[in-house]
Each structure stands twice: as structure tokens, then as C-alpha cells.
Amino acid sequence: MNVSGKSSNMNSSVILGSRWSVYRELVRSISYYVTTPIFYVNSSPHIGHVHTLLLADALNVYNRLKLGSNETIFSTGTDEHGIKIQTAAEANKISYKKFCDLNSEKFRNLFRCYETTVTDFIRTTESRHVQAVEQIWTELDRRGFIYKCTYSGWYCTSDEVFVPESSVTKKEIDGQEVHVDQNGNQLVWSSEENYMFRMDLVKGSVMRWLKDSKPISPNKFNDDAIRMIADTKDISISRPKHRLGWGIRVPNDPSQTIYVWLDALTSYLTVAGYPCSFDNLRRWPIDCQVIGKDIIRFHAIYWPAFLTALSIHLPRKLICHSHWLVDSLKMSKSRGNVVDPWQENEVLTKDGLRYYLLRCATTHSDNDYSQTQAKRRINAELADTYGNLMNRCCAPAINPRQVIPKAFVRDCSGLRISGIIEQLDELAQKCADYYEEADFYKGVDLIMSTLRQNNALYEEFKPWKLVKEVETNEDAFKIYNNLQAITFESLRICSILLHPIVPNMTRQALRWLGVNDITWRDARVSLGFGDPKCLENKLVKNPASILFRRIKCE
Ligand code: MSP
């Protein structure tokens, strides 16, 4: 993988359209497909959205390193149909399409802003997507999975879903009795003609998939999905046009609009090139879908149900994450407690914010967002640990010749390096185990502990003193050389392993070390023993600036 900063292969679909032979070539070469949910355009992006996006980006970067190739699909996009978008556009007094264009662009800017490796951006209002949804509907109908009936139930506009009776409670708001779901969202009673999807025909198969393959990680969310599917009945997959006007019409029945979740979930197929025969999809099945815990039902029950009905392979893995809270409440537009990513970038820097989100969030539990905590963490680790070590070993006072030693000096008993070498050698495998599950914080924990240990060695052996004696004192020469050799090696390895977390910062560090191309396999100790005086040492490249400047804390 080239880390020199060249742009990613965004919009490979443009290349795809050109020639069949090129298309076939890409079909064969794409080796990983990761998705984020597509974002509702009724509000502006917040930190929660950034988190979903960055999790998927870190997974994509990690997989590219593992594969040694950039031929992956990383898709994101915007979910633009439905009642809440309709209502938001009306409140803003602009046309639905214009409203979607404006807000979709904000999400597009988001992935650009963090220089993510997104390759595909899909909007549900694009004609290629409308075509895919119509085709899916026609196919489900042809296979006997759709029937029409009068459906009555409590509808939650915020989640765009009919809520089962067992989850509905009554509440008094402003002296009026209203019905709410488990999250307190207000519900409306609706009784209408709908098309229904025959869940009963595929429920057993989806249940087996959940139980046998355990596709959702962390496992507790897999258990949640198993519990949810137990009381899932046939799904309403259309709404009358007079209720839901802003959406894709049911083929051959323009009085009905296709249910927004069937519409939105299909976007993952659109990106893969559907409609086309399944053998010709750019990559299938999807390797990994990143989702928030609020949308498990749709991705772990509805989506696999639709795919099973269409005889299409189910995703290999779903990584489910918890939420960012503010003062223990979920961040959401309706609560008015959202944290704006652009404002945070100003204070924490983009690298800093990215680091905080991936470093401090655990997938299994919610986390409280705190700028103070973010500053502390970023300063302690990016500036004082990683950045500091990098700056120290390149500093003219410690490294006047700007040399990166390529080898250890033999017979150096003065410096205990074996412990740190063993640690460095095991680091890539341990991080890989964690990164596979998107447990990035656990991997970073190990990396930081190694770097801290390396900083401690520096404190203990004081290379700024040793460097003055290297010409005259053999022991000082050996210890100094070995300390510098292991430190640069440690920085090289840790920079590769941190690359999915802070790509910009690590790219910069690797550039100083003269490294442009990296793969995950390169994250092994590759220092032998030799006589560094006879070896051609590498030189540090332009270490003029500071790798990461501390953020001011009041
Ligand atoms: N449009 C649907 C997804 C359709 S996918 C076929 C949707 N959109 S969303 O904009 O509401 O959410 C997108 C993602 O952002 C979800 O994964 C959701 O969990 C995540 N987040 C929204 N708020 C969040 C937090 N406060 N914290 C972390 N992630 C959160 O759902």
C-alpha cells in the first residue's frame, strides 16, 4: 500500500462503466468490501456519524495493508427518501430534491474532510439505485414473497418502522396521552393498504445464520438479534403514496411507495453493480458491514431476509458499535445535543479527533463524548508519547548526523533490548486480532505501551549525553547506536500499525523514515546485527517540523 499521500481509487464505478474487459478485471481484483450505513439527510453530520465512517475507514485501511493492495470497495452515502426527509424539506420550504442535494453534500464533505479511503458514494435518489430497487421488488414479487393486505399498527417516523405492540407504552405529554416506543419516540397509529414481505418463508433460515455463523460482533449484539427475530412477523414493505410521497413507486402500482428500509438496504447491492447477474457483482458477499446498535433489526433481520429470498449470499460479518453520548444521553438532532465535527476539528485537529474516536470508543458499550478527555488523551499519546519519541530521535541535539541505524552493534550488554524486540515482534499479530473485530482501542493500547517503554529507555540511557561520547567511548557508542536503532525500528513498526487509526500523521512519520510503501507484513522487526560503522545508514528525511503539536488546554 502506498502511503505517499496519492488519492484513493474513489468512484471506481466510473472506471467500470467504460469497458467490459476492465470491468471483468476489477471483478477479479477487488478483495474486500466494507460498508457504512447510508446517512439520513434530514440533519447535518455529527460526531456519531463520523464515528461510523471512521470505523469503516480504519477497517478498510487495515485490510488494504493486509492485502497489500488498494483494490477494495468502501461504500458510504446518503439515505434520502422517507417521511422525515419529506417533513424536514417542507419545514425548510425547499423542494425535496434540493434539500437532499444540499445535505448529501455535507456528508460527502465529511468523508473528504477526514481523507478517508471511501471508494463509492451512493445516493438513494440516483437513477442507478432506483433501477436496483425496482428490480429487487420485481424479483421478490416473482418469487412469491410479496402480498397485499390492510395493515394496522403504530408507526415510528423517526426510525421509519412499525413498532410491535409489545414495545408500545402510553405517556402524557403537555396534558395529552400519546403512544411512545422504548426510546421515547412518539408513534402514530396507521391503518392502511400495504404490500407485505413474507418473513415466515425465510425466518428459520435467517435464525440459523444468526445462531450458527454468529455474524455480528460483539457477540452480545448477535444475541440481541436472535431475541429480536423471535417476534418478527411479516414486514410491511410499502406505504400508500398519500402518506409517503417522497420515495420510489412500487412497480406496476404507482399508488404505493416502497418502504424506505427496503430502498436503503438495496444501496449495498447498487454499489456492487446490481442490477446484473449475481456472478457479475463487483464483489459479493460483502465482507464487513459497520452499523450502529440502533439499526441491528434492519441489518441482521430484514436485510438477510431479503437476500435469502433472492438467493443471494449474506454478508460475512457485521461490526456493530455503540453510541456516543453527551451527558449520558444519545447524541441526536431531536435532543439538540449533537457535537459538530467541524467545530471539534478546529480544536482537536482532524488527526486528533479521529484518534480520540477510535482510541476511546468501545464497540460494546456507549461512551460519553468529552472534549476535555479528548485533549488529555491526544496530548498524552499522540504528542507526548508517539510524537515525542519521533521528535527526540530525529532532534539535532541527539542525532546530529540525522542517521537511522540499520543494524545493532554486537556484544552490547549495556542496553536491554531483547524485551522490547520481543514485544515489537508480537505486536502486529496482537493488533491484527483486535483490528479484525474493530477493537481498535485495544490495539492502540498495546502500541502506546510499547512506545512508552521505548521513551522510558530513552530517559534511562540519556542519548543526549551519550552522543557526546560516541567518538571516544566504545560502550557509549554501542549503547547509543542500539538505542537509536531500536527506537527508529519501533517507530517504523508502530507507524504501520497506527496507520489505520491516524493515516495522516503516520504517513508523515513514515516519510521521515524514508518509507513509502507499507504492508501489514512489514510490521516485523527487521534489524540484524552488524557493524553499523561499515553499513550504509539511512538518513532521516526532512524532519524539520514537529510531528504532532500539543493541543492547548485551559
Ligand atoms: N439511514 C439509516 C441507515 C440506512 S443503511 C441501509 C440510518 N441513518 S442515520 O443517519 O440515522 O445513522 C447512520 C449511522 O450513524 C448509524 O450507524 C448510527 O448508529 C450512527 N449514529 C447515529 N448517532 C450516533 C451516535 N450518537 N453515536 C454513534 N453512532 C451513531 O440509520
Side-chain angles (χ1 to χ4, degrees):
M1 181 179 179
N2 190 288
V3 288
S4 62
K6 297 204 182 88
S7 61
S8 70
N9 56 341
M10 169 63 189
N11 211 354
S12 37
S13 53
V14 174
I15 312 165
L16 283 175
S18 60
R19 279 178 50 199
W20 178 244
S21 58
V22 178
Y23 179 90
R24 294 297 308 172
E25 198 42 53
L26 283 176
V27 167
R28 279 194 297 272
S29 61
I30 289 170
S31 335
Y32 184 70
Y33 180 10
V34 60
T35 67
T36 73
I38 49 172
F39 301 100
Y40 286 130
V41 287
N42 60 322
S43 58
S44 299
H46 60 64
I47 289 291
H49 301 131
V50 177
H51 181 225
T52 301
L53 181 73
L54 294 183
L55 266 182
D57 187 51
L59 283 166
N60 193 41
V61 174
Y62 161 64
N63 276 278
R64 285 179 168 192
L65 284 174
K66 229 172 50 171
L67 294 163
S69 144
N70 282 359
E71 294 297 342
T72 60
I73 303 178
F74 169 15
S75 80
T76 188
T78 43
D79 192 353
E80 306 187 8
H81 293 130
I83 297 173
K84 60 179 170 185
I85 315 288
Q86 198 174 300
T87 315
E90 282 160 8
N92 281 277
K93 297 191 173 55
I94 46 175
S95 76
Y96 302 146
K97 184 64 174 53
K98 180 92 188 134
F99 179 77
C100 291
D101 289 348
L102 289 172
N103 282 302
S104 178
E105 199 50 30
K106 292 183 189 163
F107 283 95
R108 201 184 270 274
N109 283 338
L110 197 67
F111 86 72
R112 287 192 189 128
C113 160
Y114 295 98
E115 291 175 50
T116 60
T117 51
V118 165
T119 60
D120 289 74
F121 190 88
I122 177 79
R123 299 182 56 186
T124 54
T125 47
E126 285 176 63
S127 59
R128 61 172 171 148
H129 176 70
V130 173
Q131 225 185 319
V133 174
E134 286 170 350
Q135 181 63 30
I136 290 280
W137 182 284
T138 308
E139 193 54 26
L140 287 174
D141 195 22
R142 193 183 67 78
R143 288 168 173 248
F145 278 90
I146 297 180
Y147 66 95
K148 202 171 189 183
C149 75
T150 301
Y151 189 82
S152 306
W154 290 103
Y155 195 77
C156 171
T157 306
S158 158
D159 293 343
E160 299 281 14
V161 70
F162 276 105
V163 177
E165 200 74 43
S166 56
S167 308
V168 178
T169 48
K170 288 181 193 164
K171 197 175 160 186
E172 223 180 78
I173 297 181
D174 299 334
Q176 280 219 321
E177 190 179 72
V178 294
H179 290 80
V180 293
D181 69 2
Q182 282 163 331
N183 301 320
N185 292 318
Q186 218 166 310
L187 308 170
V188 281
W189 180 256
S190 114
S191 181
E192 57 194 32
E193 275 238 301
N194 282 180
Y195 284 100
M196 304 292 291
F197 171 79
R198 292 205 55 184
M199 187 71 199
D200 58 326
L201 295 181
V202 286
K203 187 167 161 173
S205 159
V206 175
M207 176 72 105
R208 263 196 309 285
W209 173 67
L210 289 171
K211 285 189 170 162
D212 297 349
S213 309
K214 297 192 174 30
I216 312 173
S217 184
N219 194 45
K220 71 171 199 173
F221 294 125
N222 204 77
D223 293 341
D224 286 349
I226 292 172
R227 268 191 298 276
M228 279 177 206
I229 198 173
D231 67 354
T232 303
K233 306 212 166 57
D234 287 357
I235 310 166
S236 153
I237 50 166
S238 78
R239 305 212 62 197
K241 186 183 142 198
H242 66 267
R243 288 255 162 80
L244 170 60
W246 182 232
I248 302 169
R249 297 282 170 268
V250 167
N252 304 320
D253 186 353
S255 71
Q256 292 273 324
T257 305
I258 295 177
Y259 177 42
V260 283
W261 273 99
L262 175 55
D263 171 348
L265 290 163
T266 301
S267 66
Y268 302 131
L269 274 164
T270 313
V271 167
Y274 189 82
C276 65
S277 84
F278 291 114
D279 294 341
N280 285 325
L281 290 172
R282 288 165 64 203
R283 166 114 185 138
W284 206 266
I286 298 171
D287 294 274
C288 182
Q289 302 211 261
V290 175
I291 58 164
K293 65 178 183 181
D294 51 325
I295 50 177
I296 293 178
R297 174 181 298 279
F298 308 102
H299 285 81
I301 300 173
Y302 292 10
W303 175 227
F306 299 144
L307 291 175
T308 305
L310 294 162
S311 313
I312 312 178
H313 288 294
L314 308 190
R316 289 185 214 276
K317 186 173 197 135
L318 279 83
I319 298 269
C320 182
H321 64 79
S322 300
H323 290 142
W324 280 101
L325 313 178
V326 174
D327 299 330
S328 307
L329 290 174
K330 188 187 168 201
M331 213 180 281
S332 72
K333 192 192 172 200
S334 45
R335 279 206 189 91
N337 63 350
V338 293
V339 179
D340 177 272
W342 282 278
Q343 274 174 17
E344 293 303 287
N345 289 344
E346 295 282 305
V347 182
L348 304 176
T349 73
K350 290 180 212 168
D351 265 342
L353 177 65
R354 181 171 169 128
Y355 185 73
Y356 174 59
L357 294 180
L358 293 173
R359 167 67 169 116
C360 293
T362 55
T363 45
H364 54 79
S365 314
D366 292 345
N367 304 275
D368 244 313
Y369 186 88
S370 147
Q371 199 188 75
T372 312
Q373 186 200 32
K375 283 181 187 166
R376 265 194 224 125
R377 180 66 81 167
I378 295 165
N379 280 340
E381 297 187 340
L382 285 190
D384 299 349
T385 304
Y386 177 43
N388 184 39
L389 193 60
M390 188 76 193
N391 291 328
R392 278 173 131 183
C393 67
C394 296
I398 291 179
N399 192 348
R401 287 170 48 232
Q402 297 294 286
V403 162
I404 306 172
K406 273 185 172 177
F408 290 121
V409 184
R410 242 180 247 286
D411 310 321
C412 171
S413 54
L415 179 70
R416 296 168 311 279
I417 47 174
S418 59
I420 199 160
I421 290 182
E422 272 162 30
Q423 247 185 60
L424 279 172
D425 245 347
E426 290 170 355
L427 208 51
Q429 187 52 54
K430 287 186 177 163
C431 286
D433 292 344
Y434 292 136
Y435 287 13
E436 291 291 336
E437 301 301 312
D439 280 335
F440 293 107
Y441 70 100
K442 289 187 184 167
V444 177
D445 219 25
L446 293 180
I447 297 169
M448 286 300 151
S449 141
T450 309
L451 289 170
R452 268 195 299 272
Q453 220 172 301
N454 206 144
N455 267 308
L457 271 186
Y458 240 62
E459 287 301 321
E460 189 181 343
F461 290 96
K462 303 186 178 43
W464 51 92
K465 284 191 178 158
L466 293 173
V467 72
K468 294 178 184 149
E469 299 169 35
V470 288
E471 301 295 334
T472 52
N473 177 339
E474 182 73 12
D475 281 346
F477 167 77
K478 286 179 179 172
I479 297 176
Y480 172 81
N481 191 85
N482 284 3
L483 182 60
Q484 286 294 86
I486 194 64
T487 303
F488 275 111
E489 188 59 354
S490 166
L491 284 164
R492 187 187 65 83
I493 291 173
C494 292
S495 297
I496 297 174
L497 302 181
L498 282 174
H499 192 57
I501 317 296
V502 272
N504 288 328
M505 189 177 170
T506 49
R507 189 178 297 125
Q508 164 89 311
L510 288 163
R511 224 180 270 143
W512 288 9
L513 304 179
V515 179
N516 282 326
D517 280 307
I518 54 168
T519 68
W520 196 255
R521 272 204 305 266
D522 298 330
R524 300 291 305 267
V525 178
S526 72
L527 282 172
F529 281 101
D531 179 356
K533 277 184 174 161
C534 307
L535 290 168
E536 187 200 331
N537 289 310
K538 275 170 64 177
L539 289 181
V540 182
K541 300 248 170 29
N542 311 319
S545 52
I546 287 176
L547 188 61
F548 192 90
R549 220 169 271 284
R550 281 179 69 84
I551 296 163
K552 282 204 185 83
C553 300
E554 285 84 51

